[in-house]
Amino acid sequence: MILGKTVGQIRRSKGMNQSLLAGGIMSRSNLSRFEGGKYYPGYDKLILLLDKLEMSFEELLFLHQDNAPQVKRTLHLELTEAGNRYDFSKVKAISRECRSMYESTRTEAYYHLYLLGQGVLIQHHHADEITALNEIAAYIKPYLLGVDKWYLYEFKLLNNFLFTLSSSDAIFFGLRGAKEFDRYHSFPESRTVQQHLLQNLSILCLNEHNYEQSLLFLEKALPLADKTHLLYDKIVTLIYYELTLLCLKQKDSAAELKRYLNILRQLDFEDSYQALLKVCRRHLTEGL
């Protein structure tokens, strides 16, 4: 990656000239070459530059990605938005565009986006070039099994394709993912990814009335919901947690569950409130 251009933009925004930033680290001419994309310093020198700029490497990467939008990320966002709007003609078009990108670049992530689009179409009875979810699962499962160590991409991939897997396969990969999380405990971006994955796994288990397994995933998701500082995620996780405890007869009263549901309504998440209330009523015969 050419990070120098982003470093230059940060430097200028802080009112620093090249001589000031480069001083004690590298020559001004080398910094100029770095910002122009003609030279890349060693990692130790880059860290020293960032220290002068009062910036972490993670923040630099984040800003760099914003300054140089990724085609894959843009296609993923467009695909997600089209699916959320039930614009299936656009989902089909983006999915096929991703397949074309894969054929020209052989970049695996484009093929995964193609499969994701095809899966959304199958889910909503608008099947296109692939007609069954198990065809998609037959591609995703070997990929996940073939990776020695999971990184954030694999966690996100599993989360995106949970709906194509059987519950037993989803639980198998979910348990593996939970073990892999340990390496990322101090990396902030991973917490939201982990929390969403664990919550979605718990919902899948809940739908299968596998309450013990649902509780296991929820107990791992709750501390992450605290760390992400996302109030909505925390409340939703707590709703599923309370529901699972009631289903397991580990609680007698639904008072806490109703309290968390009412918080959603008070925060004006009416659609979420109604959807989660229906879920609760499917599993509880009384108390709501």
Side-chain angles (χ1 to χ4, degrees):
M1 294 181 294
I2 301 173
L3 298 172
K5 180 179 179 181
T6 306
V7 168
Q9 290 173 342
I10 296 165
R11 173 183 61 75
R12 288 189 292 274
S13 73
K14 290 177 177 283
M16 297 175 69
N17 60 39
Q18 288 182 332
S19 296
L20 181 59
L21 180 57
I25 301 173
M26 63 178 67
S27 67
R28 191 206 62 78
S29 61
N30 274 345
L31 177 60
S32 179
R33 289 170 59 216
F34 175 41
E35 293 182 356
K38 297 176 182 178
Y39 165 76
Y40 196 85
Y43 183 73
D44 57 337
K45 287 185 167 52
L46 177 58
I47 294 302
L48 290 172
L49 291 175
L50 291 174
D51 187 56
K52 271 197 178 182
L53 292 168
E54 298 295 335
M55 179 160 294
S56 69
F57 187 65
E58 289 80 6
E59 187 177 2
L60 173 65
L61 290 178
F62 172 77
L63 294 171
H64 178 73
Q65 288 172 346
D66 276 355
N67 289 332
Q70 298 176 1
V71 175
K72 293 193 293 291
R73 186 174 58 170
T74 300
L75 287 170
H76 190 189
L77 287 172
E78 290 178 351
L79 188 62
T80 302
E81 289 171 3
N84 289 341
R85 293 196 308 270
Y86 303 101
D87 186 347
F88 299 118
S89 60
K90 188 166 184 179
V91 171
K92 183 185 295 186
I94 296 169
S95 178
R96 292 188 176 194
E97 182 183 352
C98 291
R99 185 201 60 200
S100 177
M101 292 292 291
Y102 169 71
E103 289 169 351
S104 63
T105 66
R106 291 295 157 183
T107 299
E108 193 86 8
Y110 286 122
Y111 196 72
H112 293 159
L113 287 174
Y114 162 69
L115 293 175
L116 183 60
Q118 293 294 305
V120 170
L121 292 169
I122 294 168
Q123 261 195 316
H124 294 279
H125 310 292
H126 289 268
D128 181 30
E129 297 177 331
I130 298 177
T131 58
L133 291 178
N134 59 10
E135 294 179 53
I136 297 173
Y139 189 92
I140 294 300
K141 284 164 56 179
Y143 176 88
L144 290 173
L145 287 169
V147 179
D148 290 334
K149 288 185 178 180
W150 284 16
Y151 300 95
L152 285 185
Y153 181 77
E154 281 69 40
F155 299 143
K156 292 176 182 178
L157 192 73
L158 175 58
N159 200 24
N160 285 338
F161 286 95
L162 276 178
F163 72 97
T164 71
L165 303 175
S166 67
S167 59
S168 59
D169 283 338
I171 291 170
F172 169 79
F173 285 115
L175 290 172
R176 176 179 171 183
K179 291 180 182 177
E180 298 271 2
F181 287 158
D182 291 341
R183 293 184 296 115
Y184 281 88
H185 70 278
S186 61
F187 187 52
E189 184 189 346
S190 74
R191 293 170 188 163
T192 302
V193 175
Q194 293 174 36
Q195 197 272 335
H196 287 167
L197 175 56
L198 289 166
Q199 181 175 294
N200 288 336
L201 285 162
S202 72
I203 294 168
L204 186 149
C205 293
L206 193 67
N207 291 338
E208 298 278 332
H209 299 277
N210 186 347
Y211 301 124
E212 290 83 1
Q213 195 66 61
S214 177
L215 183 61
L216 184 150
F217 287 127
L218 284 165
E219 286 174 342
K220 292 180 180 293
L222 273 172
L224 291 165
D226 283 333
K227 290 177 182 177
T228 57
H229 302 295
L230 296 175
L231 180 60
Y232 175 83
D233 286 340
K234 183 176 180 180
I235 294 168
V236 171
T237 304
L238 283 166
I239 288 169
Y240 282 114
Y241 180 69
E242 291 293 326
L243 174 59
T244 302
L245 289 177
L246 289 164
C247 291
L248 286 169
K249 310 296 184 186
Q250 293 186 18
K251 269 202 168 183
D252 298 323
S253 169
E256 282 294 286
L257 176 60
K258 288 191 283 189
R259 186 167 76 86
Y260 292 130
L261 283 166
N262 285 332
I263 290 173
L264 274 187
R265 176 168 255 180
Q266 290 163 13
L267 292 173
D268 205 26
F269 291 112
E270 184 65 27
D271 290 344
S272 297
Y273 167 80
Q274 293 295 340
L276 284 165
L277 185 61
K278 287 180 183 178
V279 170
C280 293
R281 285 174 172 165
R282 281 204 303 269
H283 292 273
L284 300 177
T285 55
E286 56 185 34
L288 291 175

